[in-house]
Amino acid sequence: MRVLVCGLLGLAVLTGCGGAPAGQAAPASGGGEAGADKLRERETVIATCMKQKGFAYTPSVSRPAPPDADPADYDAMKAERSKNGFGVFSAIVYPKPTETRAPDPNQATLDGLSGPRRDAYQKTMNECRVSALRQVNGLKVTSLADYQDQMSTEIENIDKALDGDPKLVELAGPFAECLKSKGERVISGRPLALSARGSMLWGEQADRLGKAGEVTAAAARPYLAKEIRSALVDLECGKDFYAAFVPLQRRLTNQARVKYGFQEQ
């Protein structure tokens, strides 16, 4: 469930998802200035809390990323899929440079400590983060683990809302039948499963190839061509479905992001 929290909400730092440094502040991920103000306020509260307990802490909020284009726009989706398919083999054929993030000023402080002092700094920082989440964001959390658990429950609720939405359920049936008629594999007709079908199936194909050794860009190109064809079929069959699914998913996810102290995406 933690993977769902990290992946869908994009909460990759405060909750310790991925390989982010333990002391790094939560980044501003795009969205309105109000969200950035909340992040700055929370960082200031953490710094004050740390100072009161004898530790140095520098408030740190990354600059917001520019907002993405509307992902539900058909022409934009077609252009994206015509080049990248579902985004699986394109990551091998067109590798993106590793994303760099400005160094967290607190990581140097943490790295300079050792033994009990480092443990005490980390423990205090986590306690101050929880206190700031309660004070600034109004969350009733008792620990970072409790914070993650609450977000996991939120993701489960989003999943249920999407799979139970009457309009999406109505559109999912013709979508699945169209895919089957085109020779596409359909494992489940549920809205969530249909939305993730292509990336999951082509991801499994990439995993199988990876087990036999490193997959080069040259070796991946024929698979990308097939993936693109599949992705365009998926888009044509699911044109009406995606026009309803993507905005609803984005709205529910952004509501959760705001609720748990992050900016909209």
Side-chain angles (χ1 to χ4, degrees):
M1 186 53 65
R2 189 179 180 190
V3 172
L4 288 175
V5 171
C6 301
L8 191 52
L9 289 185
L11 310 182
V13 180
L14 182 64
T15 59
C17 304
Q24 187 162 314
S29 304
E33 185 61 29
D37 289 342
K38 280 287 187 181
L39 285 172
R40 284 190 283 269
E41 181 182 357
R42 193 168 69 220
E43 282 290 293
T44 299
V45 170
I46 294 172
T48 301
C49 174
M50 292 288 284
K51 183 177 180 180
Q52 291 173 345
K53 297 185 179 183
F55 292 103
Y57 185 90
T58 303
S60 177
V61 177
S62 302
R63 295 184 64 181
D68 294 331
D70 182 2
D73 179 77
Y74 171 78
D75 290 335
M77 289 182 72
K78 186 172 183 179
E80 170 66 19
R81 292 190 177 204
S82 294
K83 178 182 179 182
N84 296 315
F86 293 106
V88 177
F89 281 99
S90 63
I92 303 172
V93 176
Y94 311 116
K96 295 181 180 179
T98 303
E99 182 181 350
T100 58
R101 189 180 281 136
D104 170 38
N106 300 295
Q107 191 62 38
T109 301
L110 189 62
D111 291 342
L113 302 175
S114 61
R117 186 66 176 170
R118 180 185 176 91
D119 293 341
Y121 185 96
Q122 185 71 70
K123 181 175 183 291
T124 301
M125 183 167 58
N126 288 343
E127 291 172 348
C128 287
R129 283 175 169 172
V130 170
S131 178
L133 286 167
R134 290 198 295 256
Q135 180 179 329
V136 177
N137 300 105
L139 294 173
K140 297 179 180 179
V141 293
T142 58
S143 65
L144 288 185
D146 179 39
Y147 178 63
Q148 292 173 353
D149 287 343
Q150 289 189 31
M151 286 191 293
S152 295
T153 299
E154 192 79 16
I155 293 298
E156 291 177 350
N157 291 336
I158 291 174
D159 289 352
K160 291 176 182 177
L162 291 170
D163 270 346
D165 181 79
K167 181 65 173 178
L168 293 183
V169 172
E170 177 185 346
L171 292 170
F175 182 16
E177 289 305 314
C178 178
L179 287 170
K180 293 175 184 177
S181 72
K182 302 291 186 181
E184 291 286 331
R185 182 181 171 195
V186 176
I187 299 174
S188 169
R190 291 184 298 109
L192 269 176
L194 285 172
S195 71
R197 183 196 67 87
S199 57
M200 183 192 73
L201 292 176
W202 285 96
E204 290 175 352
Q205 175 68 67
D207 288 342
R208 286 193 292 270
L209 288 175
K211 290 178 181 178
E214 182 180 357
V215 183
T216 65
R221 284 186 185 278
Y223 290 95
L224 175 58
K226 295 176 182 177
E227 181 187 339
I228 288 172
R229 288 195 291 271
S230 175
L232 291 175
V233 168
D234 180 272
L235 178 59
E236 290 305 316
C237 284
K239 182 178 180 179
D240 293 337
F241 172 84
Y242 286 119
F245 178 88
V246 175
L248 179 58
Q249 183 190 45
R250 171 175 269 199
R251 178 171 63 81
L252 294 176
T253 301
N254 277 332
Q255 287 174 352
R257 286 182 59 82
V258 170
K259 178 179 179 179
Y260 287 96
F262 290 79
Q263 289 183 270
E264 294 183 354
Q265 286 187 330

